[in-house]
Amino acid sequence: MSAQMNDQSCAQSSSGWLKSYYYLRFAVSAAWVALAFTVAKTGSPLAAVMLIAYPAWDALANYLDAQRSGGLGRNKSQLLNVVVSVITAIAVAVALGRGMNAVLAVYGVWAAFSGVFQLLTAARRWKTNGAQWAMILSGAQSALAGLFFVKMAGGMEAIGIANVAPYAAFGAFYFLVSAVWLSVSDARRKSPQVAS
């Protein structure tokens, strides 16, 4: 009985963290998108900082999440995501000197790898936390968007931060859906307990 209650309290603690984490990821991505479509749209130095900061934030967020879920050693997909995101932030800083097409190519490679790692993380979490379907969709879409970015980077059209913003907007949407889904699931789980 106590082992079962322990498992339930661990699952609730994990679910509580994930809700907060997903809401935070949504808020940061939504703010990034808003800035990308407004003040940073014209290719200002702010746009360059934002383009470096986005994968750097992803690395930090994955690190924090993994630490709350048993550490990077137990979460290999997040470990790989942290490594790829750090490398991407550095690569974007270098690519900015070559132009936005190079930056978009770097983002494309990152989105593809990051999406696969996110998908793997969500699939692993499905049993313990549920409500991971949106994260699986997000990971798959990120991987596909990465291939599209690489193709677009080889074209002739003008590219700016606004080309990356829809990718971040979809990420924000999926984080919000996951957070709300977990919140509703938790509320449903608690309501019979309150009634009894």
Side-chain angles (χ1 to χ4, degrees):
M1 179 78 171
S2 63
Q4 186 181 5
M5 288 177 65
N6 219 6
D7 288 346
Q8 285 178 340
S9 65
C10 284
Q12 287 172 348
S13 171
S14 175
S15 177
W17 159 251
L18 271 186
K19 277 189 296 189
S20 300
Y21 174 68
Y22 288 156
Y23 279 123
L24 176 63
R25 294 292 306 256
F26 160 71
V28 171
S29 293
W32 193 94
V33 170
L35 285 172
F37 278 128
T38 55
V39 294
K41 189 176 180 180
T42 57
S44 65
L46 175 61
V49 170
M50 287 174 60
L51 287 164
I52 296 167
Y54 195 68
W57 157 245
D58 191 72
L60 176 62
N62 272 286
Y63 173 78
L64 293 173
D65 184 31
Q67 291 302 104
R68 293 295 297 258
S69 309
L72 291 172
R74 287 185 56 196
N75 298 285
K76 302 294 187 204
S77 57
Q78 287 187 291
L79 169 63
L80 292 170
N81 216 341
V82 168
V83 170
V84 167
S85 295
V86 167
I87 291 169
T88 299
I90 295 165
V92 167
V94 172
L96 281 165
R98 297 179 174 218
M100 277 305 297
N101 288 63
V103 170
L104 192 64
V106 170
Y107 258 81
V109 173
W110 171 58
F113 279 106
S114 180
V116 170
F117 298 143
Q118 181 179 347
L119 193 155
L120 292 172
T121 299
R124 177 178 44 81
R125 276 188 166 145
W126 190 287
K127 289 180 185 177
T128 54
N129 297 100
Q132 294 299 301
W133 59 270
M135 288 293 93
I136 288 173
L137 279 176
S138 177
Q141 186 170 342
S142 177
L144 290 173
L147 299 176
F148 176 72
F149 280 172
V150 170
K151 183 180 177 187
M152 185 191 288
M156 301 300 292
E157 66 178 279
I159 293 172
I161 193 170
N163 294 97
V164 178
Y167 166 74
F170 274 109
F173 169 75
Y174 283 121
F175 280 120
L176 179 61
V177 167
S178 295
V180 170
W181 196 273
L182 280 174
S183 297
V184 170
S185 296
D186 283 355
R188 283 184 180 162
R189 208 174 306 125
K190 287 176 185 171
S191 60
Q193 294 172 357
V194 172
S196 61

